């Protein structure tokens, strides 16, 4: 009975993850320019964005994908106290998205000559990079990026939107709040 009780939370978590469509692991990195005080920036506007997504014809020049990505970035910036304006913004926002097919070989060890239990997995890795640039000087203020497996999301609009929302939230969670020093 004790084993069964220990198993309930694990099975429950797996069921919840399956039902909610939990996203694949996301690798996030960010960079804040040394000496920059993010608290001095209050407004933003968009720079021209290249809508081509290298490596994936399903997303290349896909207006729905880009509109949703841009909307997710807008929502996250507004939730962090930034205001969009076309009149002399403090920051210019630019993003870049790409998709690349990757190969992962599990069970292989570098020291082994042969791999007896190797498994090959091919997956689509999506990358989103968001730059915040000082509109006056053109200098990079902050950069955030994330990579995740997007294979199942590309063909399913609802899952794609959830993945975009999750990835953009994770990226912009690394942006210092307006009250913090960069």
């Amino acid at each position: 009975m004790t084993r069964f009780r220990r198993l309930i939370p694990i099975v429950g978590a797996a069921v919840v993850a399956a039902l909610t469509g939990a996203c694949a692991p996301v690798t996030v990195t960010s960079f804040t320019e040394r000496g920059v005080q993010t608290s001095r920036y209050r407004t933003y506007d968009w720079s021209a964005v290249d809508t081509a997504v290298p490596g994936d014809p399903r997303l290349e020049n896909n207006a729905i994908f880009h509109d949703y990505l841009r909307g997710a970035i807008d929502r996250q910036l507004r939730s962090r106290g930034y205001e969009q304006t076309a009149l002399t913004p403090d920051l210019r926002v630019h993003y870049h998205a790409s998709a690349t097919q990757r190969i992962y070989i599990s069970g292989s060890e570098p020291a082994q000559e042969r791999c007896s239990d190797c498994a090959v997995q091919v997956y689509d890795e999506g990358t989103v990079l968001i730059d915040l640039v000082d509109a006056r000087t053109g200098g990079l203020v902050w950069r955030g990026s994330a990579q995740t497996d997007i294979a199942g999301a590309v063909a399913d609009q609802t899952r794609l939107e959830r993945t975009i929302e999750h990835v953009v939230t994770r990226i912009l969670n690394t942006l210092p709040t307006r009250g913090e020093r960069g």
Side-chain angles (χ1 to χ4, degrees), residues 7-30:
L7 197 57
I8 288 174
I10 295 169
V11 171
V15 169
V16 169
L19 292 175
T20 59
C23 297
V26 179
T27 303
V28 178
T29 59
S30 68

Side-chain angles (χ1 to χ4, degrees), residues 77-120:
L77 286 173
R78 282 194 308 268
S79 76
R80 285 162 174 71
Y82 294 91
E83 182 182 332
Q84 184 176 4
T85 181
L87 303 172
T88 320
D90 299 326
L91 295 168
R92 293 274 177 198
V93 180
H94 177 81
Y95 74 86
H96 180 75
S98 67
T100 307
Q101 195 170 67
R102 299 280 188 207
I103 298 173
Y104 173 73
I105 302 173
S106 64
S108 64
E109 297 295 325
Q112 294 177 338
E113 290 183 24
R114 290 182 172 209
C115 181
S116 59
D117 60 345
C118 292
V120 176

Side-chain angles (χ1 to χ4, degrees), residues 44 46 49-54 59 62-78 84 93-99 126-131 144-146 148 150 157 160-172:
Y44 73 94
W46 289 92
V49 175
D50 178 12
T51 58
V53 179
L59 297 177
N62 180 334
I64 295 169
F65 167 77
H66 290 282
D67 286 346
Y68 200 84
L69 180 57
R70 187 171 168 155
I73 295 169
D74 274 331
R75 285 186 292 281
Q76 289 299 317
L77 286 173
R78 282 194 308 268
Q84 184 176 4
V93 180
H94 177 81
Y95 74 86
H96 180 75
S98 67
T127 301
V128 174
L129 178 120
I130 302 170
D131 283 340
S145 67
T148 191
I150 61 167
Q157 183 67 29
L160 181 63
E161 289 173 3
R162 270 196 322 254
T163 301
I164 290 169
E165 205 68 49
H166 180 70
V167 166
V168 168
T169 299
R170 289 282 311 275
I171 293 170
L172 288 171

